[in-house]
């Protein structure tokens, strides 16, 4: 299934202008993308499938874009949000876990395209990891995986989940996404490392000692990972 880009704005003129920009973007990129339009926050909430990327007007009649963002965050919805508005003063409220930027109207195509490229690149580097039936965790929210006997503990930014599969399977799936096996029992995500050395310090304060003789190699891989993030 391709990427869905949504445009949520209660003014027809702006929706159509933004749609023209998106259609130009679609014609120039090598992605399968569908564009959908919504005339209100309420209409968006009632949609059968939410967008992967949502261009959202901050100040709509009825439920505002800011209120919609808050509602989506509370329900765990993960669409990437780009706020759009004619009112720069609303920028102070346009922040959140899944907010990627604020674009002023009329939208500059080059800036919009750059934002879309960044979001799509980041989302391609993230896969849902199945924990159990109906329960998935986005790979970019996993800090580290700890092996315990015949199962693993998956430590995320706000929870610990149990997965009944092997560390070897985790490593196979996650090794191309910034994860590294640093010892027999730990697979870490470089994204959540705060210090790399004789001890690895994770964002939650966990200390992990890497395998003997691997510190220099790990430091180089960690530096390479950070350089790639800066270039995105």
């Amino acid at each position: 299934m391709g990427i869905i880009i949504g445009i949520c704005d209660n003014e027809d003129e702006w929706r159509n202008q933004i749609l023209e920009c998106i259609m130009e973007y679609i014609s120039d990129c090598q992605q399968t993308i569908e564009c959908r339009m919504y005339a209100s926050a309420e209409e968006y909430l009632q949609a059968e499938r939410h967008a992967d990327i949502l261009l959202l007007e901050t100040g709509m009649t009825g439920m505002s874009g800011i209120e919609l963002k808050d509602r989506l965050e509370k329900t765990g919805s993960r669409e990437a949000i780009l706020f759009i508005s004619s009112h720069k003063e609303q920028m102070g409220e346009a922040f959140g876990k899944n907010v990627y930027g604020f674009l002023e109207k009329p939208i500059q195509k080059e800036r919009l395209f750059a934002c879309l490229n960044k979001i799509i690149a980041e989302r391609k580097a993230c896969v849902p990891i199945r924990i159990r039936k109906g329960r998935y965790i986005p790979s970019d929210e996993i800090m580290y995986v700890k092996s315990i006997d015949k199962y693993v503990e998956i430590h995320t930014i706000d929870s610990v989940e149990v997965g009944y599969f092997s560390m070897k399977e985790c490593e196979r799936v996650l090794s191309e996404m910034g994860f590294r096996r640093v010892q027999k029992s730990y697979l870490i995500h470089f994204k959540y490392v705060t210090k790399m050395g004789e001890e690895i310090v994770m964002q939650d304060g966990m200390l992990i000692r890497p395998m003997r003789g691997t510190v220099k190699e790990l430091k180089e891989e960690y530096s390479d990972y950070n350089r790639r993030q800066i270039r995105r």
Side-chain angles (χ1 to χ4, degrees), residues 140-178:
D140 64 352
E141 294 184 6
I142 299 173
M143 290 192 292
Y144 55 90
V145 181
K146 181 181 180 181
S147 176
I148 302 177
D149 196 18
K150 295 181 180 180
Y151 65 94
V152 294
E153 284 184 351
I154 299 174
H155 292 250
T156 75
I157 54 180
D158 54 18
S159 68
V160 179
E161 302 277 353
V162 174
Y164 292 93
F165 39 80
S166 69
M167 177 68 89
K168 185 176 181 180
E169 179 65 13
C170 284
E171 188 176 12
R172 183 187 67 79
V173 173
L174 296 172
S175 61
E176 298 299 319
M177 299 170 196

mmCIF file of all heavy atoms in Angstrom, residues 140-178:
data_model
loop_
_atom_site.group_PDB
_atom_site.id
_atom_site.type_symbol
_atom_site.label_atom_id
_atom_site.label_comp_id
_atom_site.label_asym_id
_atom_site.label_seq_id
_atom_site.Cartn_x
_atom_site.Cartn_y
_atom_site.Cartn_z
ATOM 1 N N ASP A 140 11.208 2.772 15.393
ATOM 2 C CA ASP A 140 11.928 3.971 15.825
ATOM 3 C C ASP A 140 11.580 4.392 17.248
ATOM 4 O O ASP A 140 12.141 5.349 17.764
ATOM 5 C CB ASP A 140 11.698 5.135 14.850
ATOM 6 C CG ASP A 140 10.254 5.599 14.786
ATOM 7 O OD1 ASP A 140 9.392 4.929 15.390
ATOM 8 O OD2 ASP A 140 9.984 6.608 14.132
ATOM 9 N N GLU A 141 10.655 3.671 17.924
ATOM 10 C CA GLU A 141 10.355 3.937 19.324
ATOM 11 C C GLU A 141 11.037 2.948 20.270
ATOM 12 O O GLU A 141 10.917 3.055 21.488
ATOM 13 C CB GLU A 141 8.836 3.923 19.555
ATOM 14 C CG GLU A 141 8.102 5.053 18.853
ATOM 15 C CD GLU A 141 6.619 5.090 19.160
ATOM 16 O OE1 GLU A 141 6.182 4.277 20.020
ATOM 17 O OE2 GLU A 141 5.901 5.898 18.557
ATOM 18 N N ILE A 142 11.764 1.984 19.702
ATOM 19 C CA ILE A 142 12.452 0.986 20.525
ATOM 20 C C ILE A 142 13.836 1.499 20.898
ATOM 21 O O ILE A 142 14.638 1.847 20.024
ATOM 22 C CB ILE A 142 12.573 -0.352 19.776
ATOM 23 C CG1 ILE A 142 11.184 -0.912 19.452
ATOM 24 C CG2 ILE A 142 13.384 -1.356 20.608
ATOM 25 C CD1 ILE A 142 11.207 -2.145 18.566
ATOM 26 N N MET A 143 14.138 1.544 22.203
ATOM 27 C CA MET A 143 15.460 1.968 22.656
ATOM 28 C C MET A 143 16.457 0.809 22.633
ATOM 29 O O MET A 143 17.570 0.947 22.140
ATOM 30 C CB MET A 143 15.370 2.543 24.074
ATOM 31 C CG MET A 143 14.654 3.873 24.149
ATOM 32 S SD MET A 143 14.868 4.682 25.765
ATOM 33 C CE MET A 143 13.941 3.556 26.811
ATOM 34 N N TYR A 144 16.024 -0.324 23.191
ATOM 35 C CA TYR A 144 16.887 -1.502 23.171
ATOM 36 C C TYR A 144 16.051 -2.749 23.422
ATOM 37 O O TYR A 144 14.926 -2.683 23.925
ATOM 38 C CB TYR A 144 18.036 -1.392 24.185
ATOM 39 C CG TYR A 144 17.627 -1.133 25.616
ATOM 40 C CD1 TYR A 144 17.365 -2.174 26.504
ATOM 41 C CD2 TYR A 144 17.519 0.173 26.092
ATOM 42 C CE1 TYR A 144 16.988 -1.928 27.824
ATOM 43 C CE2 TYR A 144 17.154 0.430 27.413
ATOM 44 C CZ TYR A 144 16.886 -0.633 28.273
ATOM 45 O OH TYR A 144 16.522 -0.383 29.568
ATOM 46 N N VAL A 145 16.624 -3.886 23.063
ATOM 47 C CA VAL A 145 15.984 -5.189 23.267
ATOM 48 C C VAL A 145 16.889 -6.009 24.171
ATOM 49 O O VAL A 145 18.101 -6.094 23.935
ATOM 50 C CB VAL A 145 15.767 -5.919 21.925
ATOM 51 C CG1 VAL A 145 15.078 -7.265 22.166
ATOM 52 C CG2 VAL A 145 14.953 -5.059 20.962
ATOM 53 N N LYS A 146 16.313 -6.617 25.189
ATOM 54 C CA LYS A 146 17.060 -7.435 26.137
ATOM 55 C C LYS A 146 16.586 -8.875 26.053
ATOM 56 O O LYS A 146 15.389 -9.154 26.123
ATOM 57 C CB LYS A 146 16.865 -6.903 27.556
ATOM 58 C CG LYS A 146 17.618 -7.683 28.623
ATOM 59 C CD LYS A 146 17.356 -7.104 30.010
ATOM 60 C CE LYS A 146 18.097 -7.883 31.092
ATOM 61 N NZ LYS A 146 17.827 -7.330 32.443
ATOM 62 N N SER A 147 17.528 -9.792 25.891
ATOM 63 C CA SER A 147 17.197 -11.206 25.799
ATOM 64 C C SER A 147 17.107 -11.819 27.187
ATOM 65 O O SER A 147 18.005 -11.646 28.017
ATOM 66 C CB SER A 147 18.272 -11.937 24.982
ATOM 67 O OG SER A 147 18.012 -13.332 24.968
ATOM 68 N N ILE A 148 15.999 -12.527 27.440
ATOM 69 C CA ILE A 148 15.806 -13.220 28.718
ATOM 70 C C ILE A 148 15.274 -14.621 28.415
ATOM 71 O O ILE A 148 14.099 -14.787 28.080
ATOM 72 C CB ILE A 148 14.839 -12.466 29.647
ATOM 73 C CG1 ILE A 148 15.348 -11.049 29.933
ATOM 74 C CG2 ILE A 148 14.623 -13.233 30.953
ATOM 75 C CD1 ILE A 148 14.422 -10.221 30.784
ATOM 76 N N ASP A 149 16.173 -15.610 28.505
ATOM 77 C CA ASP A 149 15.801 -17.003 28.274
ATOM 78 C C ASP A 149 15.173 -17.171 26.885
ATOM 79 O O ASP A 149 15.815 -16.883 25.884
ATOM 80 C CB ASP A 149 14.864 -17.490 29.382
ATOM 81 C CG ASP A 149 14.751 -19.008 29.440
ATOM 82 O OD1 ASP A 149 15.626 -19.682 28.878
ATOM 83 O OD2 ASP A 149 13.784 -19.512 30.045
ATOM 84 N N LYS A 150 13.890 -17.554 26.814
ATOM 85 C CA LYS A 150 13.262 -17.841 25.529
ATOM 86 C C LYS A 150 12.384 -16.687 25.013
ATOM 87 O O LYS A 150 11.609 -16.862 24.080
ATOM 88 C CB LYS A 150 12.414 -19.113 25.634
ATOM 89 C CG LYS A 150 13.254 -20.357 25.904
ATOM 90 C CD LYS A 150 12.376 -21.597 25.972
ATOM 91 C CE LYS A 150 13.235 -22.824 26.252
ATOM 92 N NZ LYS A 150 12.412 -24.063 26.337
ATOM 93 N N TYR A 151 12.520 -15.521 25.631
ATOM 94 C CA TYR A 151 11.762 -14.366 25.158
ATOM 95 C C TYR A 151 12.641 -13.127 25.241
ATOM 96 O O TYR A 151 13.793 -13.184 25.682
ATOM 97 C CB TYR A 151 10.466 -14.187 25.957
ATOM 98 C CG TYR A 151 10.655 -13.850 27.419
ATOM 99 C CD1 TYR A 151 10.652 -12.521 27.847
ATOM 100 C CD2 TYR A 151 10.816 -14.854 28.372
ATOM 101 C CE1 TYR A 151 10.814 -12.204 29.180
ATOM 102 C CE2 TYR A 151 10.975 -14.544 29.715
ATOM 103 C CZ TYR A 151 10.978 -13.217 30.109
ATOM 104 O OH TYR A 151 11.145 -12.903 31.428
ATOM 105 N N VAL A 152 12.116 -11.999 24.784
ATOM 106 C CA VAL A 152 12.867 -10.747 24.841
ATOM 107 C C VAL A 152 12.011 -9.673 25.488
ATOM 108 O O VAL A 152 10.777 -9.698 25.400
ATOM 109 C CB VAL A 152 13.305 -10.266 23.424
ATOM 110 C CG1 VAL A 152 14.308 -11.229 22.808
ATOM 111 C CG2 VAL A 152 12.108 -10.054 22.513
ATOM 112 N N GLU A 153 12.678 -8.751 26.177
ATOM 113 C CA GLU A 153 12.035 -7.531 26.656
ATOM 114 C C GLU A 153 12.343 -6.424 25.669
ATOM 115 O O GLU A 153 13.508 -6.181 25.353
ATOM 116 C CB GLU A 153 12.572 -7.133 28.025
ATOM 117 C CG GLU A 153 12.056 -7.945 29.175
ATOM 118 C CD GLU A 153 12.559 -7.430 30.515
ATOM 119 O OE1 GLU A 153 13.450 -6.539 30.532
ATOM 120 O OE2 GLU A 153 12.081 -7.930 31.535
ATOM 121 N N ILE A 154 11.313 -5.751 25.197
ATOM 122 C CA ILE A 154 11.474 -4.651 24.258
ATOM 123 C C ILE A 154 11.221 -3.352 25.029
ATOM 124 O O ILE A 154 10.098 -3.073 25.455
ATOM 125 C CB ILE A 154 10.522 -4.798 23.069
ATOM 126 C CG1 ILE A 154 10.843 -6.101 22.319
ATOM 127 C CG2 ILE A 154 10.626 -3.603 22.133
ATOM 128 C CD1 ILE A 154 9.885 -6.432 21.221
ATOM 129 N N HIS A 155 12.278 -2.598 25.225
ATOM 130 C CA HIS A 155 12.188 -1.353 25.990
ATOM 131 C C HIS A 155 11.967 -0.192 25.022
ATOM 132 O O HIS A 155 12.834 0.108 24.200
ATOM 133 C CB HIS A 155 13.463 -1.134 26.798
ATOM 134 C CG HIS A 155 13.650 -2.125 27.903
ATOM 135 N ND1 HIS A 155 13.534 -1.781 29.235
ATOM 136 C CD2 HIS A 155 13.918 -3.455 27.866
ATOM 137 C CE1 HIS A 155 13.739 -2.862 29.979
ATOM 138 N NE2 HIS A 155 13.970 -3.886 29.178
ATOM 139 N N THR A 156 10.807 0.440 25.117
ATOM 140 C CA THR A 156 10.476 1.572 24.263
ATOM 141 C C THR A 156 10.650 2.861 25.066
ATOM 142 O O THR A 156 11.041 2.838 26.235
ATOM 143 C CB THR A 156 9.041 1.484 23.736
ATOM 144 O OG1 THR A 156 8.124 1.810 24.792
ATOM 145 C CG2 THR A 156 8.725 0.086 23.210
ATOM 146 N N ILE A 157 10.333 3.969 24.437
ATOM 147 C CA ILE A 157 10.494 5.260 25.108
ATOM 148 C C ILE A 157 9.514 5.436 26.266
ATOM 149 O O ILE A 157 9.735 6.287 27.123
ATOM 150 C CB ILE A 157 10.350 6.424 24.107
ATOM 151 C CG1 ILE A 157 9.037 6.324 23.339
ATOM 152 C CG2 ILE A 157 11.534 6.450 23.155
ATOM 153 C CD1 ILE A 157 8.813 7.436 22.343
ATOM 154 N N ASP A 158 8.450 4.620 26.335
ATOM 155 C CA ASP A 158 7.506 4.798 27.445
ATOM 156 C C ASP A 158 6.925 3.495 27.993
ATOM 157 O O ASP A 158 5.973 3.518 28.770
ATOM 158 C CB ASP A 158 6.356 5.737 27.028
ATOM 159 C CG ASP A 158 5.662 5.286 25.751
ATOM 160 O OD1 ASP A 158 5.820 4.105 25.384
ATOM 161 O OD2 ASP A 158 4.973 6.112 25.135
ATOM 162 N N SER A 159 7.498 2.340 27.609
ATOM 163 C CA SER A 159 6.957 1.085 28.128
ATOM 164 C C SER A 159 7.970 -0.051 27.941
ATOM 165 O O SER A 159 8.994 0.121 27.269
ATOM 166 C CB SER A 159 5.643 0.728 27.425
ATOM 167 O OG SER A 159 5.890 0.409 26.057
ATOM 168 N N VAL A 160 7.651 -1.184 28.550
ATOM 169 C CA VAL A 160 8.426 -2.413 28.343
ATOM 170 C C VAL A 160 7.449 -3.488 27.880
ATOM 171 O O VAL A 160 6.438 -3.742 28.547
ATOM 172 C CB VAL A 160 9.145 -2.870 29.630
ATOM 173 C CG1 VAL A 160 9.910 -4.171 29.362
ATOM 174 C CG2 VAL A 160 10.086 -1.790 30.142
ATOM 175 N N GLU A 161 7.725 -4.096 26.728
ATOM 176 C CA GLU A 161 6.861 -5.120 26.169
ATOM 177 C C GLU A 161 7.614 -6.448 26.130
ATOM 178 O O GLU A 161 8.842 -6.479 26.019
ATOM 179 C CB GLU A 161 6.441 -4.745 24.742
ATOM 180 C CG GLU A 161 5.721 -3.420 24.617
ATOM 181 C CD GLU A 161 4.241 -3.523 24.922
ATOM 182 O OE1 GLU A 161 3.759 -4.666 25.102
ATOM 183 O OE2 GLU A 161 3.570 -2.482 24.961
ATOM 184 N N VAL A 162 6.881 -7.543 26.203
ATOM 185 C CA VAL A 162 7.467 -8.874 26.107
ATOM 186 C C VAL A 162 7.172 -9.451 24.731
ATOM 187 O O VAL A 162 6.036 -9.416 24.251
ATOM 188 C CB VAL A 162 6.908 -9.811 27.194
ATOM 189 C CG1 VAL A 162 7.428 -11.236 26.992
ATOM 190 C CG2 VAL A 162 7.290 -9.302 28.573
ATOM 191 N N GLY A 163 8.226 -9.958 24.076
ATOM 192 C CA GLY A 163 8.060 -10.601 22.774
ATOM 193 C C GLY A 163 8.549 -12.037 22.845
ATOM 194 O O GLY A 163 9.651 -12.297 23.350
ATOM 195 N N TYR A 164 7.725 -12.966 22.386
ATOM 196 C CA TYR A 164 8.090 -14.384 22.457
ATOM 197 C C TYR A 164 8.732 -14.825 21.145
ATOM 198 O O TYR A 164 8.186 -15.621 20.378
ATOM 199 C CB TYR A 164 6.860 -15.222 22.821
ATOM 200 C CG TYR A 164 6.405 -14.947 24.229
ATOM 201 C CD1 TYR A 164 5.433 -13.987 24.486
ATOM 202 C CD2 TYR A 164 6.999 -15.602 25.306
ATOM 203 C CE1 TYR A 164 5.043 -13.702 25.789
ATOM 204 C CE2 TYR A 164 6.611 -15.320 26.607
ATOM 205 C CZ TYR A 164 5.641 -14.366 26.840
ATOM 206 O OH TYR A 164 5.272 -14.090 28.132
ATOM 207 N N PHE A 165 9.896 -14.263 20.891
ATOM 208 C CA PHE A 165 10.717 -14.627 19.740
ATOM 209 C C PHE A 165 12.167 -14.395 20.119
ATOM 210 O O PHE A 165 12.468 -13.870 21.190
ATOM 211 C CB PHE A 165 10.323 -13.827 18.495
ATOM 212 C CG PHE A 165 9.989 -12.387 18.760
ATOM 213 C CD1 PHE A 165 10.976 -11.432 18.927
ATOM 214 C CD2 PHE A 165 8.663 -11.974 18.859
ATOM 215 C CE1 PHE A 165 10.673 -10.109 19.175
ATOM 216 C CE2 PHE A 165 8.344 -10.650 19.110
ATOM 217 C CZ PHE A 165 9.357 -9.709 19.275
ATOM 218 N N SER A 166 13.069 -14.821 19.254
ATOM 219 C CA SER A 166 14.483 -14.831 19.617
ATOM 220 C C SER A 166 15.167 -13.488 19.368
ATOM 221 O O SER A 166 14.718 -12.690 18.536
ATOM 222 C CB SER A 166 15.215 -15.918 18.822
ATOM 223 O OG SER A 166 15.274 -15.563 17.448
ATOM 224 N N MET A 167 16.276 -13.282 20.072
ATOM 225 C CA MET A 167 17.107 -12.110 19.825
ATOM 226 C C MET A 167 17.639 -12.143 18.396
ATOM 227 O O MET A 167 17.759 -11.091 17.744
ATOM 228 C CB MET A 167 18.254 -12.073 20.828
ATOM 229 C CG MET A 167 19.220 -10.924 20.623
ATOM 230 S SD MET A 167 18.476 -9.324 20.993
ATOM 231 C CE MET A 167 18.820 -9.175 22.740
ATOM 232 N N LYS A 168 17.954 -13.331 17.907
ATOM 233 C CA LYS A 168 18.465 -13.474 16.535
ATOM 234 C C LYS A 168 17.459 -12.935 15.524
ATOM 235 O O LYS A 168 17.822 -12.273 14.554
ATOM 236 C CB LYS A 168 18.775 -14.941 16.240
ATOM 237 C CG LYS A 168 19.430 -15.177 14.893
ATOM 238 C CD LYS A 168 19.785 -16.643 14.718
ATOM 239 C CE LYS A 168 20.457 -16.878 13.368
ATOM 240 N NZ LYS A 168 20.803 -18.317 13.189
ATOM 241 N N GLU A 169 16.178 -13.198 15.753
ATOM 242 C CA GLU A 169 15.132 -12.702 14.854
ATOM 243 C C GLU A 169 15.031 -11.182 14.933
ATOM 244 O O GLU A 169 14.879 -10.499 13.909
ATOM 245 C CB GLU A 169 13.790 -13.337 15.212
ATOM 246 C CG GLU A 169 12.610 -12.881 14.363
ATOM 247 C CD GLU A 169 12.725 -13.284 12.895
ATOM 248 O OE1 GLU A 169 13.583 -14.113 12.558
ATOM 249 O OE2 GLU A 169 11.945 -12.756 12.091
ATOM 250 N N CYS A 170 15.116 -10.623 16.164
ATOM 251 C CA CYS A 170 15.106 -9.168 16.323
ATOM 252 C C CYS A 170 16.267 -8.543 15.560
ATOM 253 O O CYS A 170 16.097 -7.537 14.868
ATOM 254 C CB CYS A 170 15.228 -8.795 17.797
ATOM 255 S SG CYS A 170 13.737 -9.023 18.750
ATOM 256 N N GLU A 171 17.432 -9.122 15.707
ATOM 257 C CA GLU A 171 18.625 -8.581 15.053
ATOM 258 C C GLU A 171 18.472 -8.606 13.541
ATOM 259 O O GLU A 171 18.853 -7.660 12.839
ATOM 260 C CB GLU A 171 19.851 -9.383 15.482
ATOM 261 C CG GLU A 171 21.166 -8.798 15.009
ATOM 262 C CD GLU A 171 22.357 -9.563 15.543
ATOM 263 O OE1 GLU A 171 22.173 -10.670 16.099
ATOM 264 O OE2 GLU A 171 23.487 -9.059 15.397
ATOM 265 N N ARG A 172 17.897 -9.686 13.014
ATOM 266 C CA ARG A 172 17.708 -9.797 11.564
ATOM 267 C C ARG A 172 16.798 -8.684 11.037
ATOM 268 O O ARG A 172 17.080 -8.075 10.005
ATOM 269 C CB ARG A 172 17.099 -11.166 11.220
ATOM 270 C CG ARG A 172 16.919 -11.417 9.721
ATOM 271 C CD ARG A 172 16.161 -12.703 9.469
ATOM 272 N NE ARG A 172 14.785 -12.618 9.907
ATOM 273 C CZ ARG A 172 13.827 -12.012 9.212
ATOM 274 N NH1 ARG A 172 14.099 -11.411 8.063
ATOM 275 N NH2 ARG A 172 12.584 -11.993 9.668
ATOM 276 N N VAL A 173 15.742 -8.385 11.766
ATOM 277 C CA VAL A 173 14.768 -7.390 11.319
ATOM 278 C C VAL A 173 15.282 -5.961 11.498
ATOM 279 O O VAL A 173 15.052 -5.086 10.665
ATOM 280 C CB VAL A 173 13.433 -7.580 12.076
ATOM 281 C CG1 VAL A 173 12.459 -6.460 11.746
ATOM 282 C CG2 VAL A 173 12.818 -8.931 11.735
ATOM 283 N N LEU A 174 16.007 -5.714 12.603
ATOM 284 C CA LEU A 174 16.329 -4.343 12.992
ATOM 285 C C LEU A 174 17.737 -3.877 12.625
ATOM 286 O O LEU A 174 18.034 -2.684 12.757
ATOM 287 C CB LEU A 174 16.145 -4.194 14.509
ATOM 288 C CG LEU A 174 14.715 -4.379 15.029
ATOM 289 C CD1 LEU A 174 14.715 -4.414 16.550
ATOM 290 C CD2 LEU A 174 13.791 -3.292 14.519
ATOM 291 N N SER A 175 18.589 -4.758 12.165
ATOM 292 C CA SER A 175 19.998 -4.399 11.965
ATOM 293 C C SER A 175 20.212 -3.291 10.936
ATOM 294 O O SER A 175 21.222 -2.579 10.986
ATOM 295 C CB SER A 175 20.810 -5.637 11.565
ATOM 296 O OG SER A 175 20.327 -6.184 10.360
ATOM 297 N N GLU A 176 19.278 -3.105 9.993
ATOM 298 C CA GLU A 176 19.429 -2.063 8.977
ATOM 299 C C GLU A 176 18.794 -0.743 9.389
ATOM 300 O O GLU A 176 18.715 0.180 8.583
ATOM 301 C CB GLU A 176 18.798 -2.535 7.651
ATOM 302 C CG GLU A 176 19.435 -3.778 7.051
ATOM 303 C CD GLU A 176 20.906 -3.573 6.728
ATOM 304 O OE1 GLU A 176 21.248 -2.497 6.219
ATOM 305 O OE2 GLU A 176 21.710 -4.486 7.015
ATOM 306 N N MET A 177 18.352 -0.635 10.633
ATOM 307 C CA MET A 177 17.600 0.544 11.070
ATOM 308 C C MET A 177 18.253 1.253 12.242
ATOM 309 O O MET A 177 17.588 1.881 13.053
ATOM 310 C CB MET A 177 16.166 0.142 11.423
ATOM 311 C CG MET A 177 15.436 -0.447 10.261
ATOM 312 S SD MET A 177 13.886 -1.172 10.758
ATOM 313 C CE MET A 177 13.539 -2.157 9.298
ATOM 314 N N GLY A 178 19.574 1.153 12.344
ATOM 315 C CA GLY A 178 20.274 1.849 13.408
ATOM 316 C C GLY A 178 20.429 1.045 14.677
ATOM 317 O O GLY A 178 20.807 1.592 15.714
#
